[in-house]
């Protein structure tokens, strides 16, 4: 059995107490040493949780990356009190008892593995949506592979990654914060795996259910490029995404919000700019997703 310590960060708005309890039960049933859990109430009280689960109640909603960063620091600076942190949506459910142990084994077997993206499946149908497979060739969700990004609410991160490249970008609030961390991790030499055998059950939903979806997606896409890409790739990357957005024929209201976010992304500070090395661009390309799409 691996000796790596595993913790879990769960953020909640306090509005899904039954699902949260079911998720916590699935974490408690994991094989191996117990997983230490921190639940962060993101601007809301935390519902009743089992004994031994730590809780933090924030006075305001810091957004998804901000809430998760608070959870990371609850395990010491950059999460250093544990070796691995699981990040799980509060309406998800770990499908098997061996997920934490599989994570331990994967990270021990590959010292350069920094992040694992789980497979998300609908609890009723078992179907995995294409958008939940973090690669362009998403037709076969049962195929595990190296990837260039990961799913925010169903993943495991080696805490040394946070010590190495920093935390999630708080200002993003929602959307693309995972890709920002993934690109920085890849640039530092870490690798990312998608594992189809590590499953989080999660109801099928549409990302556009969030009112701020179109604005945040566009704004953060610009911030992502400005922060991380070599200068010649910034207009290429954003031009491709502008074209893809138009081809998807969003409603007039959605398009107005998208362009508002796009303008905001250029007009507002994006945080420190640390363009990735060209060898990282090549690595992303070899992994099947060059940073222009």
């Amino acid at each position: 059995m691996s000796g790596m310590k595993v913790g879990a960060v769960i953020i909640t708005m306090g509005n899904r107490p039954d699902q949260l309890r079911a998720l916590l039960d699935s974490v408690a049933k994991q094989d191996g040493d117990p997983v230490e859990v921190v639940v962060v109430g993101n601007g809301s009280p935390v519902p009743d949780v089992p004994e031994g689960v730590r809780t933090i109640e924030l006075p305001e909603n810091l957004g998804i990356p901000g809430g998760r960063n608070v959870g990371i620091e609850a395990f010491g600076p950059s999460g250093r009190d544990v070796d691995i942190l699981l990040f799980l949506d509060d309406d998800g459910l770990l499908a098997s008892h061996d997920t934490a142990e599989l994570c331990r084994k994967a990270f021990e077997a590959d010292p350069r593995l920094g992040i694992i993206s789980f497979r998300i499946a609908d609890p009723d149908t078992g179907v995995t949506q294409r958008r939940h497979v973090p690669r362009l060739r998403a037709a076969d969700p049962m195929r595990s592979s190296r990837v260039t990004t990961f799913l925010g609410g169903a993943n495991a991160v080696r805490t040394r990654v946070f010590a190495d490249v920093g935390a999630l970008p708080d200002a993003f609030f929602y959307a693309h914060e995972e890709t920002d961390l993934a690109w920085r991790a890849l640039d530092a030499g870490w690798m990312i795996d998608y594992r189809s055998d590590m499953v989080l059950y999660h109801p099928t939903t549409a990302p556009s259910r969030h009112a701020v979806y179109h604005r945040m997606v566009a704004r953060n896409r610009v911030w992502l490029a400005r922060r991380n890409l070599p200068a010649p790739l910034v207009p290429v990357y954003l031009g491709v995404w502008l074209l893809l957005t138009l081809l998807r024929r969003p409603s007039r209201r959605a398009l107005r919000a998208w362009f508002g976010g796009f303008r905001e992304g250029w007009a507002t500070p994006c945080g420190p700019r640390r363009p990735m090395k060209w060898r990282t661009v090549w690595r992303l390309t070899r992994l099947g997703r060059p940073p222009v799409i």
Side-chain angles (χ1 to χ4, degrees):
M1 184 179 296
S2 168
M4 299 186 83
K5 293 182 179 179
V6 180
V9 173
I10 301 165
I11 59 173
T12 183
M13 300 293 291
N15 55 352
R16 294 190 280 235
D18 294 339
Q19 293 96 321
L20 174 61
R21 177 57 73 105
L23 171 62
L24 292 172
D25 288 345
S26 73
V27 174
K29 293 175 182 175
Q30 291 299 298
D31 298 337
D33 292 335
V35 176
E36 185 180 345
V37 181
V38 170
V39 177
V40 179
N42 215 353
S44 66
V46 175
D48 289 337
V49 297
E51 186 177 351
V53 173
R54 286 193 288 160
T55 62
I56 301 171
E57 294 184 352
L58 302 177
E60 62 178 307
N61 183 355
L62 299 182
I64 293 173
R68 287 184 177 141
N69 285 340
V70 169
I72 293 167
E73 293 300 306
F75 290 92
S78 301
R80 69 184 181 192
D81 294 346
V82 293
D83 303 296
I84 302 164
L85 278 175
L86 311 180
F87 295 88
L88 307 170
D89 277 349
D90 68 342
D91 55 345
L93 184 75
L94 289 174
S96 302
H97 295 180
D98 64 350
T99 303
E101 193 63 16
L102 287 173
C103 288
R104 292 184 182 103
K105 292 176 180 176
F107 284 119
E108 279 203 334
D110 185 352
R112 298 312 301 166
L113 179 61
I115 302 171
I116 299 173
S117 190
F118 300 167
R119 180 167 64 89
I120 293 179
D122 185 272
D124 297 321
T125 65
V127 171
T128 296
Q129 294 178 274
R130 286 184 64 94
R131 70 184 183 88
H132 284 153
V133 182
R135 59 179 178 240
L136 291 179
R137 296 175 182 175
D140 182 9
M142 301 307 294
R143 179 173 66 87
S144 299
S145 69
R146 292 281 201 208
V147 289
T148 62
T149 189
F150 63 99
L151 306 175
N155 68 80
V157 181
R158 190 192 297 266
T159 53
R160 282 177 50 204
V161 172
F162 298 124
D164 200 8
V165 305
L168 294 156
D170 284 358
F172 278 43
F173 197 85
Y174 164 77
H176 302 318
E177 66 273 6
E178 302 93 351
T179 299
D180 186 88
L181 178 63
W183 283 2
R184 286 184 282 128
L186 287 163
D187 197 47
W190 296 102
M191 301 303 291
I192 305 169
D193 279 357
Y194 166 73
R195 287 283 296 265
S196 64
D197 57 336
M198 302 181 189
V199 180
L200 184 85
Y201 285 144
H202 189 282
T204 299
T205 56
S208 53
R209 70 189 185 280
H210 299 289
V212 296
Y213 171 76
H214 296 287
R215 180 175 71 87
M216 292 291 196
V217 161
R219 183 198 69 181
N220 292 357
R221 185 80 70 184
V222 177
W223 281 358
L224 179 68
R226 289 174 59 198
R227 285 164 58 92
N228 295 290
L229 290 181
L233 293 186
V234 173
V236 179
Y237 177 82
L238 295 176
V240 167
W241 277 105
L242 172 61
L243 179 61
L244 287 173
T245 299
L246 295 174
L247 290 174
R248 289 168 179 169
R249 302 173 65 90
S251 68
R252 183 173 297 180
R253 181 178 178 183
L255 199 58
R256 189 181 305 118
W258 194 93
F259 274 108
F262 193 81
R263 286 191 295 271
E264 184 182 348
W266 286 106
T268 53
C270 65
R273 172 168 164 76
R274 298 188 181 96
M276 67 177 65
K277 308 174 191 73
W278 282 103
R279 70 168 177 257
T280 305
V281 173
W282 176 237
R283 179 183 298 139
L284 288 161
T285 303
R286 285 191 292 113
L287 288 170
R289 189 149 198 167
V292 295
I293 188 170

